[in-house]
Amino acid sequence: MADYDAIILGAGAAGMMCASVAGQRGRRVLLADHADAPGKKILISGGGRCNFTNIHTAADRYLSANPHFAKSALGRYSAQDFLALVERYGIAWHEKTLGQLFCDGSAKQIVAMLAEECTKGGVTMALGQGITAIDHADGLYRVTIGGVVHRAPALVRATGGPSIPKMGATGFAYDVARQFGLTIVQPRPALVPFTLGPEEALFQSLSGVSADVEVRWNKTRFREAALFTHRGLSGPAMLQISSYWQHRTPIQVNFLPDRTADWLLEEKRERPRTHLRRVLGQALTERLADTLLERIGVQGELANLSDKALRQVAAKLADWPFVPSGTEGYAKAEVTVGGIATAGLSSRTMEATKVPGLYAIGEAVDVTGWLGGYNFQWAWASGWAAGQAL
């Protein structure tokens, strides 16, 4: 048997952060993962450059059954705090659009930094071996890894959600939570491409075409790029709205978010002999314009089209409904909405309120951020909160 102050399951972003913080506070920490190396999901993030945080992080950019839960951790460990750690290691970075921070070099630098922080904290790693049993008795959690029983008064679940199963992701954290009587908010894929049904087959011809759009579902809106694929809709705008979308409901796309309702009438006054197809081809792209006009069923020179018809075309382009047949599921989902219910956790420490010594952090918890570094910031902040409490 091996004894520790804390056993952390999952050597991803949240788990490594938690282990390094607790270790550097003098705690004896075991960090376990069935993968043979830490931080595997970090390595593939941001196209291999790791979108490690977002400078606009705020609790209102997260989905949760309790929208206030994330405030405490995010307020106590901010994007600026993590950026200071990155800079301390001399890792060069740059800001892309919308406050997204990326490594100039490689995501490997972030993993190496976290591994070094764990080393500074004297963290013991048990990698490449499955966990065969977990139980609790006499105030101690017993975790069997590779035939060896490890004991500690604290157990942290940082094994993420089931998104990207090819990376080894599973619902393991939920199973452990249920074992100890915690509630699970029904998980579903998030930040995931949509699929379109046969009635939208017309749009398959646009595979590879992108457009700057505003997409809306109920009152939630995102203004970013959308991408048509051979299966449906992707790109940042679609990934963002997918986290909110509910099955069998439409999403509304404004293909020309910078145009007024009467912009086609203004075009008609300025160049009446121009074909509608040409005007739209210049505002969008020719392939996209052709496909949309084919569905709308209006063609001809602007002068020959009534003001009412042009207003209807503009209105359709500003509020185009798509009813996705579904999503591409966990296989293509970047994260998971839902998870371990926040109602059973302390927002300050991430400890289960009715199960002393049991913690949950990162994606395993029912806190899901927008695309663009928000989910990493939740991993750092929740990991830090638990690491300070252990």
Side-chain angles (χ1 to χ4, degrees), residues 256 259 263-264 267 271 274-293 299 317:
L256 295 164
R259 303 288 178 133
W263 75 277
L264 282 175
E267 292 282 351
R271 40 182 187 158
T274 309
H275 270 260
L276 176 60
R277 177 182 177 274
R278 185 170 180 209
V279 172
L280 282 190
Q282 291 168 343
L284 298 162
T285 66
E286 287 191 3
R287 282 175 66 192
L288 180 55
D290 284 348
T291 303
L292 295 173
L293 281 176
Q299 296 282 2
L317 294 172

Coordinates of all heavy atoms in Angstrom, one line a residue, residues 256 259 263-264 267 271 274-293 299 317:
L256 N -25.8 38.0 -43.8 CA -25.3 39.3 -44.1 C -25.5 40.2 -42.9 O -26.3 41.2 -42.9 CB -26.0 39.9 -45.3 CG -25.7 39.2 -46.6 CD1 -26.7 39.5 -47.7 CD2 -24.3 39.5 -47.1
R259 N -25.6 44.2 -43.1 CA -26.5 44.8 -44.1 C -27.8 45.2 -43.4 O -28.3 44.6 -42.5 CB -26.8 43.9 -45.3 CG -25.6 43.4 -46.0 CD -24.9 44.5 -46.8 NE -23.7 44.1 -47.5 CZ -23.4 44.3 -48.7 NH1 -24.2 45.0 -49.5 NH2 -22.3 43.8 -49.2
W263 N -31.2 46.9 -47.9 CA -29.9 47.1 -48.7 C -30.1 46.7 -50.2 O -29.5 47.4 -51.0 CB -28.8 46.3 -48.1 CG -28.8 44.8 -48.3 CD1 -29.5 43.9 -47.6 CD2 -28.1 44.1 -49.3 NE1 -29.3 42.6 -48.1 CE2 -28.4 42.7 -49.1 CE3 -27.2 44.4 -50.3 CZ2 -27.9 41.7 -49.9 CZ3 -26.7 43.4 -51.1 CH2 -27.0 42.1 -50.9
L264 N -31.0 45.8 -50.5 CA -31.2 45.4 -51.9 C -32.0 46.5 -52.6 O -31.8 46.7 -53.8 CB -31.9 44.1 -52.0 CG -31.1 42.8 -51.7 CD1 -31.9 41.6 -51.7 CD2 -30.0 42.7 -52.8
E267 N -29.4 49.0 -53.6 CA -28.6 48.4 -54.7 C -29.5 48.6 -56.0 O -28.9 49.0 -57.1 CB -28.3 46.9 -54.5 CG -27.3 46.6 -53.5 CD -25.9 46.9 -53.9 OE1 -25.6 47.1 -55.1 OE2 -25.0 46.8 -53.0
R271 N -27.8 50.6 -59.1 CA -27.4 49.8 -60.3 C -28.6 48.9 -60.7 O -28.5 47.7 -60.5 CB -26.1 49.1 -60.1 CG -25.9 48.4 -58.8 CD -24.6 47.7 -58.7 NE -24.4 47.0 -57.5 CZ -23.5 46.0 -57.3 NH1 -22.8 45.6 -58.4 NH2 -23.4 45.3 -56.2
T274 N -28.3 45.5 -62.8 CA -27.4 44.4 -62.3 C -28.3 43.2 -61.9 O -29.4 43.4 -61.3 CB -26.6 44.9 -61.1 OG1 -25.9 46.1 -61.5 CG2 -25.6 43.8 -60.7
H275 N -27.8 42.0 -62.2 CA -28.6 40.8 -61.8 C -28.5 40.6 -60.3 O -27.4 40.8 -59.6 CB -28.1 39.6 -62.5 CG -28.8 39.3 -63.8 ND1 -29.8 38.4 -63.9 CD2 -28.6 39.9 -65.0 CE1 -30.2 38.4 -65.1 NE2 -29.5 39.3 -65.8
L276 N -29.6 40.1 -59.7 CA -29.6 39.8 -58.2 C -28.5 38.8 -57.9 O -27.8 38.9 -56.9 CB -30.9 39.2 -57.9 CG -31.1 38.7 -56.4 CD1 -30.9 39.9 -55.4 CD2 -32.5 38.1 -56.2
R277 N -28.2 37.8 -58.8 CA -27.2 36.8 -58.5 C -25.8 37.5 -58.4 O -25.0 37.1 -57.5 CB -27.2 35.8 -59.7 CG -26.1 34.8 -59.5 CD -26.1 33.8 -60.7 NE -25.0 32.9 -60.7 CZ -23.8 33.1 -61.1 NH1 -23.5 34.3 -61.6 NH2 -22.9 32.2 -61.0
R278 N -25.6 38.5 -59.2 CA -24.3 39.1 -59.2 C -24.1 39.9 -57.9 O -23.0 40.0 -57.3 CB -24.1 40.0 -60.4 CG -22.7 40.7 -60.4 CD -22.4 41.4 -61.7 NE -21.0 41.9 -61.7 CZ -20.6 43.0 -62.3 NH1 -21.5 43.6 -63.1 NH2 -19.4 43.4 -62.2
V279 N -25.2 40.6 -57.5 CA -25.1 41.4 -56.3 C -24.9 40.5 -55.1 O -24.0 40.9 -54.2 CB -26.5 42.2 -56.1 CG1 -26.5 42.9 -54.7 CG2 -26.6 43.3 -57.2
L280 N -25.6 39.4 -55.0 CA -25.4 38.5 -53.9 C -24.0 37.8 -53.9 O -23.4 37.6 -52.9 CB -26.5 37.4 -53.8 CG -27.8 37.9 -53.3 CD1 -28.7 36.7 -53.1 CD2 -27.7 38.6 -52.0
G281 N -23.6 37.5 -55.2 CA -22.2 36.9 -55.3 C -21.1 37.8 -54.8 O -20.1 37.3 -54.3
Q282 N -21.3 39.1 -54.9 CA -20.3 40.0 -54.4 C -20.4 40.2 -52.9 O -19.4 40.4 -52.2 CB -20.5 41.4 -55.1 CG -20.1 41.4 -56.6 CD -20.5 42.6 -57.4 OE1 -21.4 43.4 -56.9 NE2 -19.9 42.8 -58.5
A283 N -21.6 40.1 -52.4 CA -21.8 40.2 -50.9 C -21.4 39.0 -50.2 O -20.9 39.1 -49.0 CB -23.3 40.6 -50.6
L284 N -21.6 37.8 -50.8 CA -21.3 36.6 -50.2 C -20.2 35.9 -51.0 O -19.1 36.5 -51.1 CB -22.5 35.6 -50.1 CG -23.7 36.2 -49.3 CD1 -25.0 35.5 -49.7 CD2 -23.4 36.0 -47.8
T285 N -20.4 34.8 -51.5 CA -19.5 34.2 -52.5 C -20.4 33.6 -53.6 O -21.6 33.4 -53.3 CB -18.7 33.0 -52.0 OG1 -19.5 31.9 -51.7 CG2 -17.8 33.4 -50.8
E286 N -20.0 33.5 -54.8 CA -20.8 33.0 -55.9 C -21.5 31.7 -55.6 O -22.7 31.5 -55.8 CB -20.1 33.0 -57.2 CG -19.8 34.4 -57.8 CD -19.3 34.3 -59.2 OE1 -19.2 33.2 -59.8 OE2 -18.9 35.4 -59.7
R287 N -20.7 30.7 -55.1 CA -21.3 29.4 -54.8 C -22.4 29.5 -53.7 O -23.4 28.9 -53.9 CB -20.2 28.5 -54.3 CG -19.3 27.9 -55.4 CD -18.2 27.1 -54.9 NE -18.6 25.9 -54.2 CZ -17.9 25.1 -53.4 NH1 -16.6 25.4 -53.2 NH2 -18.4 24.0 -52.9
L288 N -22.1 30.3 -52.7 CA -23.1 30.4 -51.6 C -24.4 31.1 -52.1 O -25.5 30.7 -51.9 CB -22.5 31.1 -50.4 CG -23.4 31.3 -49.2 CD1 -24.1 30.0 -48.7 CD2 -22.7 32.0 -48.1
A289 N -24.1 32.2 -52.9 CA -25.2 33.0 -53.5 C -26.1 32.1 -54.4 O -27.3 32.2 -54.3 CB -24.7 34.2 -54.2
D290 N -25.5 31.4 -55.2 CA -26.2 30.5 -56.2 C -27.1 29.5 -55.4 O -28.3 29.3 -55.8 CB -25.3 29.7 -57.1 CG -24.7 30.6 -58.2 OD1 -25.2 31.7 -58.4 OD2 -23.7 30.2 -58.8
T291 N -26.6 28.9 -54.4 CA -27.3 27.9 -53.6 C -28.5 28.5 -52.9 O -29.6 28.0 -52.9 CB -26.4 27.1 -52.7 OG1 -25.3 26.6 -53.4 CG2 -27.1 26.1 -51.9
L292 N -28.2 29.6 -52.2 CA -29.3 30.3 -51.5 C -30.4 30.8 -52.4 O -31.6 30.6 -52.1 CB -28.7 31.5 -50.7 CG -27.8 31.1 -49.6 CD1 -27.1 32.3 -48.9 CD2 -28.5 30.3 -48.5
L293 N -30.0 31.4 -53.6 CA -31.0 31.8 -54.5 C -31.8 30.7 -55.1 O -33.0 30.8 -55.4 CB -30.4 32.7 -55.6 CG -30.0 34.1 -55.3 CD1 -29.3 34.8 -56.4 CD2 -31.3 34.9 -54.9
Q299 N -34.9 35.3 -59.2 CA -33.8 35.6 -60.1 C -34.1 36.8 -60.9 O -35.3 37.3 -61.0 CB -33.5 34.4 -61.1 CG -33.0 33.2 -60.4 CD -31.6 33.2 -60.0 OE1 -30.9 34.2 -60.1 NE2 -31.1 32.1 -59.4
L317 N -32.4 36.1 -46.1 CA -31.0 36.0 -46.0 C -30.5 36.4 -44.6 O -29.5 35.9 -44.1 CB -30.2 36.8 -47.0 CG -30.4 36.3 -48.4 CD1 -29.7 37.4 -49.4 CD2 -29.7 35.0 -48.6

